[in-house]
Amino acid sequence: MDPQSPPPNPDAAPTPSAAAAAPALRPTEQLVLELAREFLAEKRRERRWRNAWRAAWLALALALAWSLWTQQHVMLPAGTPHTALVEVRGEIGADTEAGAEFIVSGLKNAFADEGARAVVLRINSPGGSPVQAGIVFDEIRRLRALHDKPVYAVVDDLCTSAAYYIASAADSIYVNRASMVGSIGVLMDDFGFTELMAKLGVERRLLTAGAHKGMLDPFSPLQPEEKARTLALLDEIHQQFIEAVRAGRGKRLKEDDETFSGMVWNGDRAVALGLADGLGNLDHVAREVVGAEEVIDYTPHDNVAERLAKRFGAAVGRAAVQTLWSAQRAPRS
């Protein structure tokens, strides 16, 4: 016994132990407790299976993405001769994969690779922004002079309007017989609702600071002066387009009254008119023209992480809007 500890008091009342058994549960309480345990266990199993399925789908998606990447990006030793490919697909615009930012990025990488014997633009686009096309046109000419490499355009289904603007910067353009080529023109379209508003008794109240700030407002009558100014603007952009085509095609272009009218021709007629140089697809150009049959794609794309981030951001935005809308509609005291 510890000499410093006080001696036990035999008359003291017994102290209840911390480990004393809990009082017995009634049958109904035991049943509820068992059901709760089973429910929690079932939820844990569901969560484990759900996480397992998510992991499996994620692994499958990553494997598929890797497979597609390896198919499109052939790993070759540095300096191996090949044909560099940059795709121009879909509408040409600032926020699309056929915008100048994406295309120019791919072009820079393609031209910088010492193994690239030539750069091929494979085009399947109805056109779009003349600004984006002009940026790409100028960059093609700059990079071609800087690296002394030829550039070829290969047309799939469509190469019209701003897409042909880009193609005209190439050394040669190759098409399919049924490709649609041309549409060298500029357009601007909208709608007018003035008569409909008059029938419905709706009054348009437009206040501006600046005589032409409300020009082309669809809810106001189109004024002759505004129409003339807009047509002059379109004509200036059209002349820029024409100058680019003439600079790119040179004496090969057989001009007539319809060349710059916005007309579209098939591949055979495009070759006959000097809008294209011959018939051929990507493989033909890489093998017969470039002389480097191996093709490497330099086209930038959104990777999986970027796409998921965009979707996540959109989902968060929708959730925020719904929350704000619900808060606004909630009854207030």
Side-chain angles (χ1 to χ4, degrees), residues 53-105:
W53 276 110
R54 288 174 177 173
W57 279 111
L58 178 60
L60 178 62
L62 292 175
L64 179 60
W66 174 256
S67 175
L68 293 174
W69 189 90
T70 53
Q71 289 177 10
Q72 295 178 356
H73 298 77
V74 181
M75 303 304 292
L76 297 176
T80 301
H82 63 272
T83 297
L85 171 66
V86 177
E87 302 267 11
V88 181
R89 291 190 174 274
E91 181 185 359
I92 299 170
D95 298 324
T96 69
E97 288 197 359
E101 181 180 358
F102 278 91
I103 298 173
V104 170
S105 175

Side-chain angles (χ1 to χ4, degrees), residues 34-315:
E34 288 297 327
L35 290 175
R37 288 173 179 169
E38 286 293 330
F39 177 77
L40 292 175
E42 181 66 24
K43 287 297 181 182
R44 291 192 190 99
R45 285 193 294 269
E46 290 180 2
R47 185 165 59 251
R48 284 196 294 268
W49 275 108
R50 187 164 57 248
N51 292 338
W53 276 110
R54 288 174 177 173
W57 279 111
L58 178 60
L60 178 62
L62 292 175
L64 179 60
W66 174 256
S67 175
L68 293 174
W69 189 90
T70 53
Q71 289 177 10
Q72 295 178 356
H73 298 77
V74 181
M75 303 304 292
L76 297 176
T80 301
H82 63 272
T83 297
L85 171 66
V86 177
E87 302 267 11
V88 181
R89 291 190 174 274
E91 181 185 359
I92 299 170
D95 298 324
T96 69
E97 288 197 359
E101 181 180 358
F102 278 91
I103 298 173
V104 170
S105 175
L107 288 171
K108 288 179 177 178
N109 292 332
F111 274 102
D113 194 321
E114 295 180 356
R117 293 295 176 260
V119 178
V120 174
L121 288 161
R122 183 161 62 179
I123 300 174
N124 191 9
S125 169
S129 166
V131 174
Q132 299 295 305
I135 294 172
V136 176
F137 178 92
D138 293 339
E139 195 65 15
I140 290 173
R141 292 167 68 86
R142 185 188 72 83
L143 291 170
R144 181 176 57 189
L146 178 63
H147 295 277
D148 193 25
K149 289 183 182 180
V151 183
Y152 303 106
V154 174
V155 179
D156 283 349
D157 297 290
L158 279 174
C159 183
T160 55
S161 196
Y164 189 78
Y165 194 151
I166 292 174
S168 62
D171 292 292
S172 299
I173 301 174
Y174 293 89
V175 298
N176 183 273
R177 293 181 184 275
S179 299
M180 294 289 103
V181 181
S183 187
I184 304 172
V186 183
L187 64 82
M188 177 185 294
D189 58 342
D190 65 358
F191 297 91
F193 302 98
T194 54
E195 293 185 9
L196 176 62
M197 292 170 61
K199 291 180 180 179
L200 295 175
V202 178
E203 178 187 1
R204 171 66 163 166
R205 296 175 180 175
L206 179 64
L207 306 177
T208 65
H212 302 289
K213 187 61 179 178
M215 188 172 71
L216 300 182
D217 175 59
F219 302 103
S220 301
L222 179 61
Q223 303 298 327
E225 182 184 0
E226 294 179 355
K227 181 177 179 181
R229 286 177 176 271
T230 305
L231 289 175
L233 175 64
L234 295 179
D235 187 61
E236 290 174 0
I237 299 173
H238 191 203
Q239 289 303 316
Q240 296 170 7
F241 193 172
I242 293 172
E243 290 172 7
V245 173
R246 284 174 172 164
R249 299 304 299 165
K251 295 181 180 180
R252 291 171 293 181
L253 189 64
K254 301 176 178 60
E255 292 188 29
D256 58 26
D257 294 339
E258 291 189 334
T259 303
F260 304 120
S261 68
M263 182 65 70
V264 177
W265 295 271
N266 63 27
D268 277 332
R269 287 293 297 157
V271 173
L273 294 171
L275 294 168
D277 298 281
L279 303 177
N281 58 14
L282 173 62
D283 293 336
H284 168 83
V285 172
R287 182 179 60 252
E288 305 297 337
V289 180
V290 180
E293 193 168 358
E294 194 70 57
V295 177
I296 296 182
D297 189 357
Y298 289 81
T299 311
H301 297 286
D302 283 345
N303 58 40
V304 176
E306 289 173 336
R307 291 176 182 174
L308 289 175
K310 288 180 180 179
R311 292 184 180 181
F312 177 76

